[in-house]
Amino acid sequence: MRRRGYKVAIMDADITGPSIPKTFGISEMAKSNGEELFPAESKDGISIMSINLLLRDETEPVLWRGPIIAGTVTQFWTHVNWGDVDYMFVDMPPGTGDVALSVFQSIPLDGVIIVASPQELVSMVVEKAVKMAEMMNIPILGIVENMSYVVCPDCGKKISVFGREAQSEKAAAKHGLSLLAKMPIDPALASLVDAGKIEDFKGDWLEGVADDVEKQPHKEAE
Amino acid sequence: MRRRGYKVAIMDADITGPSIPKTFGISEMAKSNGEELFPAESKDGISIMSINLLLRDETEPVLWRGPIIAGTVTQFWTHVNWGDVDYMFVDMPPGTGDVALSVFQSIPLDGVIIVASPQELVSMVVEKAVKMAEMMNIPILGIVENMSYVVCPDCGKKISVFGREAQSEKAAAKHGLSLLAKMPIDPALASLVDAGKIEDFKGDWLEGVADDVEKQPHKEAE
């Protein structure tokens, strides 16, 4: 969405396993004026807030009980000065726990994208997530299949690493959802993520997702 | 460990994303005598308890706040009649959240095995887990690298799917831990997991882990 010219923000709601800052090569701490926190900005101008921007040592584990974790997520919404943003993405941890509940209850989401591996797609884990979103009346934009395949660097064969072909289409159909994208495992992408340079990556697997996000009607946040 | 003749139990402490019963093809509900719960038994005689054995519909999401989730994990330890068990494995969700805290505080663990992808190994997520275990005085048995490589079915090339070779050895050394095993992504294993037949899988990647677990000194549970 950033490449399409929008002002984009990412809220890293994975409090106990935050990975967004590292992916974008951000290591400074968040600034504050005493009342509000200000998100960090990535190389390409994406506003980012994560628990790791509030820790003096980013490898410090966050050993907090659920209510504190949930409170932190809520604060990321209420006490961060996000400025003028067209699209905000909220990165959530796996599962249907406290964080998902808090995000669903405290942030006026326009929709949810479920990201899962081919194996998770055929399992009940995704079904649980779908049902949770339905119970909380959050529209599901669709499914992104992650780790779909690997291309052999020697012979060019496209290997379905989890031994399944077309299973995700079936899973999407079963839940009445669109399959928005299939993301391969790409060593080049992995290296850029490790180096904090995800924005340098040129790949178009997510164009379908961007199209879909772009055409969603959205709620007004004040 | 089951193959080595031990009586083995698995506690699925991933309350909001339980995958153990499905992996072992278990779908019946847990039995109870009104006071205690009894674990289900797999084909090969492994005792298993999971939140999914307590739900009428296994696709029902568990939308619980942290304290309830933590309480459930504690109950799996206090209110389940595990019988006579040589080795109990506790499957935990990713991250350093409520469940990990409860498991570390309420169960007398002999040790922790950290399972991570090559990418997670070079990130701060694993460092957080290592620090958490240290803070709670739980010995770390070592690291298992998951999704290390894929073997191309056409040309036999071993593909490091995350673009890294020998990084996990470095990561293990950095944390002063042994790298117990490297698990490939194996489509055959994935299919057996999907079919609930993980016990039919013949693979020896985890022999090193079993050796290590076998020689650990262990606490007496009453």
Side-chain angles (χ1 to χ4, degrees):
Chain A
M1 300 308 288
R2 180 74 202 97
R3 284 184 202 152
R4 293 185 180 196
Y6 293 106
K7 182 84 186 88
V8 173
I10 302 176
M11 181 195 295
D12 185 358
D14 194 347
I15 305 295
T16 62
S19 56
I20 299 291
K22 161 110 180 162
T23 304
F24 285 86
I26 292 173
S27 56
E28 78 261 36
M29 290 186 68
K31 293 184 179 57
S32 168
N33 62 3
E35 279 184 21
E36 295 174 307
L37 284 166
F38 295 91
E41 196 148 299
S42 77
K43 190 168 72 70
D44 289 353
I46 296 176
S47 301
I48 292 172
M49 179 52 73
S50 166
I51 188 69
N52 263 9
L53 306 182
L54 306 178
L55 301 175
R56 207 170 295 269
D57 172 3
E58 62 177 12
T59 67
E60 209 53 45
V62 171
L63 306 186
W64 295 343
R65 288 277 170 198
I68 317 276
I69 292 176
T72 306
V73 170
T74 310
Q75 283 205 322
F76 280 178
W77 179 245
T78 55
H79 284 73
V80 172
N81 187 332
W82 289 99
D84 195 21
V85 165
D86 297 314
Y87 290 97
M88 178 183 289
F89 294 90
V90 181
D91 182 35
M92 292 203 283
T96 54
D98 248 14
V99 167
L101 260 181
S102 298
V103 168
F104 284 10
Q105 286 173 344
S106 58
I107 302 177
L109 299 175
D110 294 316
V112 178
I113 297 169
I114 295 175
V115 181
S117 72
Q119 249 191 312
E120 290 164 334
L121 278 173
V122 296
S123 81
M124 74 202 62
V125 176
V126 165
E127 197 157 344
K128 281 179 193 263
V130 170
K131 284 192 181 173
M132 177 179 197
E134 285 171 355
M135 286 164 72
M136 321 237 358
N137 281 316
I138 315 281
I140 302 175
L141 305 189
I143 294 177
V144 171
E145 186 185 276
N146 198 9
M147 308 200 287
S148 296
Y149 57 90
V150 177
V151 177
C152 177
D154 278 14
C155 68
K157 182 177 171 70
K158 194 168 156 181
I159 308 166
S160 294
V161 282
F162 291 105
R164 318 205 130 253
E165 203 70 77
Q167 287 292 333
S168 51
E169 283 80 358
K170 278 189 212 162
K174 180 182 171 197
H175 302 301
L177 298 171
S178 9
L179 185 62
L180 300 173
K182 287 185 173 200
M183 301 257 298
I185 304 182
D186 183 322
L189 174 59
S191 299
L192 286 170
V193 166
D194 287 348
K197 293 181 176 168
I198 192 175
E199 289 166 300
D200 292 349
F201 189 68
K202 310 282 173 247
D204 55 6
W205 311 306
L206 292 176
E207 290 301 315
V209 183
D211 290 343
D212 201 77
V213 166
E214 211 167 16
K215 64 174 192 250
Q216 286 300 317
H218 38 273
K219 297 177 190 141
E220 280 302 312
E222 81 288 10
Chain B
M1 300 309 289
R2 180 74 204 96
R3 284 184 201 152
R4 295 185 179 195
Y6 293 106
K7 182 85 187 89
V8 172
I10 301 176
M11 180 194 296
D12 185 358
D14 194 347
I15 305 295
T16 62
S19 56
I20 299 291
K22 161 110 181 163
T23 304
F24 284 87
I26 293 173
S27 55
E28 78 260 38
M29 289 184 70
K31 292 184 180 56
S32 168
N33 62 4
E35 279 184 20
E36 294 174 309
L37 284 166
F38 294 92
E41 195 149 299
S42 78
K43 191 168 73 68
D44 290 353
I46 296 176
S47 301
I48 292 172
M49 179 53 73
S50 167
I51 189 68
N52 263 9
L53 306 183
L54 306 178
L55 300 176
R56 207 170 295 269
D57 172 3
E58 62 176 14
T59 67
E60 207 55 43
V62 171
L63 305 187
W64 296 344
R65 288 277 170 198
I68 316 276
I69 292 176
T72 306
V73 170
T74 310
Q75 282 206 324
F76 280 178
W77 178 245
T78 55
H79 285 73
V80 172
N81 187 332
W82 289 100
D84 195 21
V85 165
D86 296 315
Y87 289 98
M88 178 182 289
F89 294 90
V90 181
D91 182 36
M92 292 202 285
T96 54
D98 248 13
V99 166
L101 260 182
S102 298
V103 168
F104 284 8
Q105 286 173 344
S106 56
I107 303 177
L109 298 175
D110 294 316
V112 178
I113 296 169
I114 295 176
V115 182
S117 72
Q119 248 192 313
E120 291 164 333
L121 279 173
V122 295
S123 80
M124 75 201 62
V125 177
V126 164
E127 197 157 343
K128 281 179 193 264
V130 170
K131 284 192 180 175
M132 177 179 195
E134 285 171 356
M135 286 162 73
M136 322 240 353
N137 281 315
I138 314 282
I140 302 174
L141 305 189
I143 294 177
V144 171
E145 187 185 277
N146 198 9
M147 309 201 285
S148 296
Y149 58 90
V150 177
V151 176
C152 177
D154 278 15
C155 69
K157 183 177 171 69
K158 194 168 156 181
I159 309 165
S160 294
V161 283
F162 291 106
R164 317 204 132 253
E165 203 72 77
Q167 288 293 333
S168 50
E169 282 81 357
K170 278 189 212 162
K174 180 181 171 196
H175 302 302
L177 298 171
S178 9
L179 185 64
L180 300 174
K182 287 186 171 199
M183 302 257 298
I185 304 182
D186 184 323
L189 174 60
S191 299
L192 286 170
V193 166
D194 286 348
K197 292 179 178 169
I198 193 176
E199 289 165 302
D200 293 349
F201 189 69
K202 310 282 172 247
D204 55 5
W205 311 306
L206 291 176
E207 290 302 316
V209 183
D211 291 343
D212 202 76
V213 166
E214 211 167 17
K215 63 173 193 251
Q216 286 300 316
H218 35 275
K219 296 176 190 140
E220 280 300 313
E222 81 287 14

